Amino acid sequence: MRSHYCGELRSGHIDQEVVLCGWVHRRRDHGGVIFVDLRDRDGLVQVVFDPDRADIFATAEQVRSEYVLRVVGRVRRRPAGTENEELATGEVEVLGTEVTVLNSAETPPMQLDEHGVEVSEELRLRYRYLDLRRPEMQQRLRVRSRITQMLRSFLDEHGFLDTETPILTKSTPEGARDYLVPSRVHPGEFYALPQSPQLFKQLLMMSGLDRYYQIARCFRDEDLRADRQPEFTQLDIEVSFMTEDELMGLMEEMIRTLFRTILDVELPDPLPRLTYAEAMRRYGSDRPDLRVPLELVDIADLLRDVDFKVFAGPAQDPEGRVAALRLPRGGELTRKEIDDYTKFVGIYGAKGLAYIKVNDWATKGRDGLQSPILKFLPDAAVEGIMTRTGAVDGDLIFFGADKANVVNEALGALRVKLGQDRGLMAEGWHPLWVVDFPMFERDAQTGRWMALHHPFTAPKEDQLDLLEETPGACQSRAYDMVLNGTEIGGGSIRIHREAVQRRIFCLLNISDEQAEDRFGFLLKALKYGCPPHGGIAFGLDRLVMLMTGAGSIRDVMAFPKTQSAACLLTSAPSQVDPAQLNELSLRVKLRA
């Protein structure tokens, strides 16, 4: 039906007859000559219709935006001075000799060319098939396809086997809520859609498969954000007989190859590593954005004995933290700007945002500082703060004092926002590994220990004795890859001995009966010669979002859901016929 894609025509095609199919991107009538920008997935090419071919010209006069055309014509060089350097096809045009309207189109509810006004995301999702015609969206999906192709090639070359795992599986409620699927042939019983292939990929290692991967669809019924969806895609990987260093090294090589191939970017070799403790201490986050040069500085030891309880209380609290954040040239901030930043940290639970403006410390000392809190701080504390933060004239120092988690979240977020607002963000890509995570965290409401990653993560071998004695001090063999402040992949070495897995379940308050009910198949498999193994999963949607510069993972997925987990295109979820419910032995009872 066609000989070429629109976007592939170049000067080398001049004088060739071509057959093109595509959509009318734009139609222009210039003094009796009609120009049509014809678009397909490869790009645009200008088609010219002269009035000396009356029948063809009459058809061209009738076409409008988004009509579907088949055009036969001859490629020729554009007249001098009319070339379009912004188009890959900008040196040439096609003189139309035949045109067939394959389908007409109503006026679209949104403009699809580059001159279109911003449209709401709701409208874009409702007419997603139109939104996906936009070159920007098509380019993102093309990049996504290239990314998955390259990742598959790398893993295939390194001996990994692409293996599918079940979509209908057993509900093992830990972490996010499961999406449940009722069974018709087993009335009253349910499957769950997988939150990840975690247990199946571990079973594949027990099966001797040695190296597994899968581009897996996963489902989580959780509250959504810009980088979350109820169904998402991850590159899932598991290997046997590898240490974490060996596995991390191989994954580094894969990501470096990906960026080199897709973006022509060289990432560091090796990637830098930060322990969890250091990341939290310096950046207030376990996914630090290294593009921002600002760092948190601990000052609790300088303030334990001051009369200012706002600082002294957290400084004396074993679970508290007092930290400072120096902003170079921050003395330029107005009071309104400081008030706005105070409101910003309030989102993260901070009760306020103390500060010191450094106006003239060099010559006036304490008298050259400006702050409502100075009257509460002795000279020794002020001297210590200035020395430790390295503040100089013109700077501003922000303070956080509260429970450590509140200070970390508030100042960690403020650090990134200041970097963005003040033009401090470095260019380029800044990946790293975060390692040595705690095994457990204590739930603030129940007081129970919770697995920081998941209950199948192995503790460090030399810390097994800490499991029952001081679980909060036990570190895991987990590792996360972080890129520009976003976690793109996370994994761990797994527990491969039944006795250790049972100890972890016990610590997490999972009784023997619950363990057998939820994970009995795993515990049984661990008895039959399970090899040491570990793995990682990369969020494919998130990775593509970063590499394409999109603002949300919804912009790199063909048919995403809204923040309320609805599909505006198909109106899902929706009610179903009562007869279907009856087949499933179900009755709907709405909450009051």
Side-chain angles (χ1 to χ4, degrees):
M1 196 170 189
R2 63 180 167 197
S3 64
H4 296 76
Y5 282 99
C6 297
E8 71 177 278
L9 298 183
R10 300 291 188 274
S11 57
H13 295 95
I14 289 174
D15 291 331
Q16 291 185 24
E17 184 177 82
V18 295
V19 183
L20 307 174
C21 293
W23 287 263
V24 175
H25 191 66
R26 193 182 300 110
R27 173 191 172 279
R28 307 181 302 281
D29 191 335
H30 288 179
V33 177
I34 294 175
F35 295 88
V36 169
D37 290 337
L38 195 66
R39 183 192 73 239
D40 61 21
R41 73 172 199 182
D42 266 19
L44 300 172
V45 69
Q46 179 172 280
V47 182
V48 182
F49 296 99
D50 287 336
D52 55 357
R53 293 179 170 87
D55 54 337
I56 299 171
F57 191 82
T59 302
E61 281 187 309
Q62 302 302 314
V63 304
R64 295 293 182 266
S65 292
E66 300 311 307
Y67 272 42
V68 187
L69 305 183
R70 180 178 183 269
V71 172
V72 180
R74 182 174 54 84
V75 181
R76 68 185 187 184
R77 188 177 298 278
R78 287 199 190 194
T82 66
E83 299 90 345
N84 186 346
E85 295 181 356
E86 296 182 2
L87 279 182
T89 61
E91 287 186 274
V92 300
E93 61 187 15
V94 176
L95 177 62
T97 56
E98 295 179 30
V99 60
T100 305
V101 176
L102 299 176
N103 213 338
S104 61
E106 295 183 4
T107 302
M110 63 181 111
Q111 280 186 265
L112 305 182
D113 60 31
E114 63 272 23
H115 301 296
V117 296
E118 266 314 298
V119 297
S120 69
E121 186 179 56
E122 179 180 348
L123 188 64
R124 289 175 54 206
L125 294 181
R126 195 174 300 280
Y127 294 93
R128 189 60 163 184
Y129 45 87
L130 295 179
D131 187 43
L132 289 177
R133 291 184 191 174
R134 294 191 298 120
E136 179 183 35
M137 293 299 294
Q138 296 223 340
Q139 176 61 17
R140 288 172 181 162
L141 293 184
R142 287 167 70 93
V143 172
R144 183 184 180 118
S145 178
R146 289 183 62 208
I147 288 172
T148 57
Q149 181 184 35
M150 185 264 129
L151 293 171
R152 287 184 185 276
S153 295
F154 181 92
L155 293 167
D156 289 342
E157 290 168 5
H158 285 79
F160 286 80
L161 300 181
D162 184 357
T163 309
E164 294 180 344
T165 54
I167 293 296
L168 295 177
T169 184
K170 181 180 177 63
S171 178
T172 54
E174 290 291 328
R177 289 180 292 272
D178 289 326
Y179 278 102
L180 300 177
V181 179
S183 169
R184 179 183 59 82
V185 296
H186 300 282
E189 298 183 350
F190 295 81
Y191 301 102
L193 302 182
Q195 296 188 30
S196 84
Q198 180 63 46
L199 296 181
F200 285 105
K201 67 178 180 178
Q202 288 190 241
L203 292 171
L204 288 173
M205 295 304 100
M206 300 172 199
S207 306
L209 204 67
D210 197 75
R211 295 191 179 194
Y212 141 97
Y213 83 93
Q214 180 183 189
I215 294 180
R217 203 71 170 161
C218 303
F219 308 84
R220 293 180 187 173
D221 186 6
E222 59 184 349
D223 296 331
L224 306 179
R225 300 196 301 265
D227 60 348
R228 295 282 178 90
Q229 281 279 293
E231 52 180 320
F232 57 95
T233 305
Q234 67 185 35
L235 173 62
D236 204 51
I237 294 169
E238 199 80 3
V239 298
S240 297
F241 305 112
M242 269 195 185
T243 66
E244 47 264 65
D245 285 338
E246 291 169 331
L247 178 54
M248 291 164 68
L250 183 59
M251 294 300 99
E252 279 188 30
E253 183 184 350
M254 181 181 74
I255 296 299
R256 276 194 297 271
T257 303
L258 175 67
F259 272 74
R260 184 184 307 119
T261 304
I262 304 298
L263 300 181
D264 195 24
V265 167
E266 289 293 336
L267 297 180
D269 183 8
L271 299 190
R273 296 187 185 188
L274 281 179
T275 66
Y276 172 87
E278 185 179 6
M280 298 303 292
R281 177 176 60 81
R282 294 171 59 185
Y283 305 110
S285 171
D286 60 0
R287 49 184 188 280
D289 192 335
L290 299 187
R291 294 174 298 172
V292 182
L294 309 179
E295 294 192 18
L296 280 58
V297 177
D298 283 317
I299 55 171
D301 58 310
L302 303 174
L303 300 167
R304 285 195 180 95
D305 300 323
V306 301
D307 292 332
F308 191 36
K309 291 185 178 179
V310 172
F311 281 175
Q316 296 169 9
D317 184 350
E319 297 182 356
R321 185 180 188 189
V322 185
L325 178 64
R326 178 180 72 91
L327 176 63
R329 303 186 310 280
E332 302 168 357
L333 293 181
T334 65
R335 182 54 190 265
K336 181 183 183 306
E337 288 173 316
I338 293 174
D339 288 344
D340 288 342
Y341 286 126
T342 302
K343 292 177 183 176
F344 174 77
V345 297
I347 298 171
Y348 300 91
K351 301 179 183 67
L353 186 61
Y355 67 91
I356 293 177
K357 277 191 176 184
V358 185
N359 296 328
D360 191 2
W361 170 257
T363 59
K364 295 183 179 180
R366 183 187 182 103
D367 291 338
L369 304 179
Q370 176 187 348
S371 171
I373 66 170
L374 275 175
K375 58 187 175 182
F376 301 111
L377 302 180
D379 290 345
V382 173
E383 183 79 31
I385 290 169
M386 295 299 296
T387 301
R388 194 168 294 180
T389 59
V392 297
D393 291 351
D395 291 351
L396 183 144
I397 307 170
F398 286 115
F399 299 92
D402 209 310
K403 294 293 185 183
N405 65 313
V406 174
V407 172
N408 290 336
E409 289 192 22
L411 288 191
L414 178 64
R415 169 185 169 271
V416 175
K417 183 166 179 59
L418 290 172
Q420 295 168 340
D421 293 351
R422 303 287 294 175
L424 300 175
M425 304 282 282
E427 295 294 326
W429 302 96
H430 295 260
L432 74 151
W433 287 104
V434 178
V435 297
D436 295 347
F437 284 87
M439 272 287 289
F440 310 103
E441 59 183 348
R442 195 183 288 276
D443 185 276
Q445 295 182 333
T446 65
R448 287 178 48 189
W449 288 109
M450 309 288 289
L452 190 67
H453 281 80
H454 55 61
F456 317 109
T457 296
K460 289 186 177 291
E461 286 291 327
D462 60 355
Q463 296 184 8
L464 286 172
D465 292 341
L466 300 179
L467 285 177
E468 287 80 18
E469 299 171 8
T470 53
C474 188
Q475 292 179 332
S476 71
R477 299 176 69 182
Y479 34 81
D480 284 357
M481 187 182 287
V482 178
L483 180 63
N484 289 5
T486 298
E487 178 201 330
I488 60 170
S492 66
I493 300 300
R494 322 301 187 188
I495 297 167
H496 69 281
R497 294 191 293 268
E498 182 204 9
V500 177
Q501 186 65 76
R502 287 190 180 276
R503 287 171 67 184
I504 298 298
F505 285 157
C506 181
L507 182 61
L508 297 176
N509 205 29
I510 299 174
S511 68
D512 289 342
E513 292 77 12
Q514 289 173 322
E516 287 296 335
D517 179 56
R518 299 177 188 176
F519 310 110
F521 60 95
L522 174 70
L523 293 170
K524 183 181 293 185
L526 289 171
K527 297 178 180 179
Y528 293 100
C530 176
H533 62 283
I536 192 168
F538 289 93
L540 188 62
D541 310 301
R542 200 174 296 177
L543 185 59
V544 177
M545 176 186 73
L546 291 173
M547 295 182 72
T548 59
S552 162
I553 63 170
R554 291 189 291 277
D555 284 335
V556 297
M557 303 172 75
F559 299 103
K561 304 290 191 294
T562 66
Q563 293 238 355
S564 61
C567 175
L568 298 181
L569 176 64
T570 63
S571 299
S574 60
Q575 296 181 358
V576 298
D577 192 289
Q580 289 179 273
L581 293 177
N582 188 54
E583 279 189 325
L584 295 168
S585 304
L586 293 178
R587 180 182 299 134
V588 175
K589 180 180 181 182
L590 299 178
R591 287 194 296 265

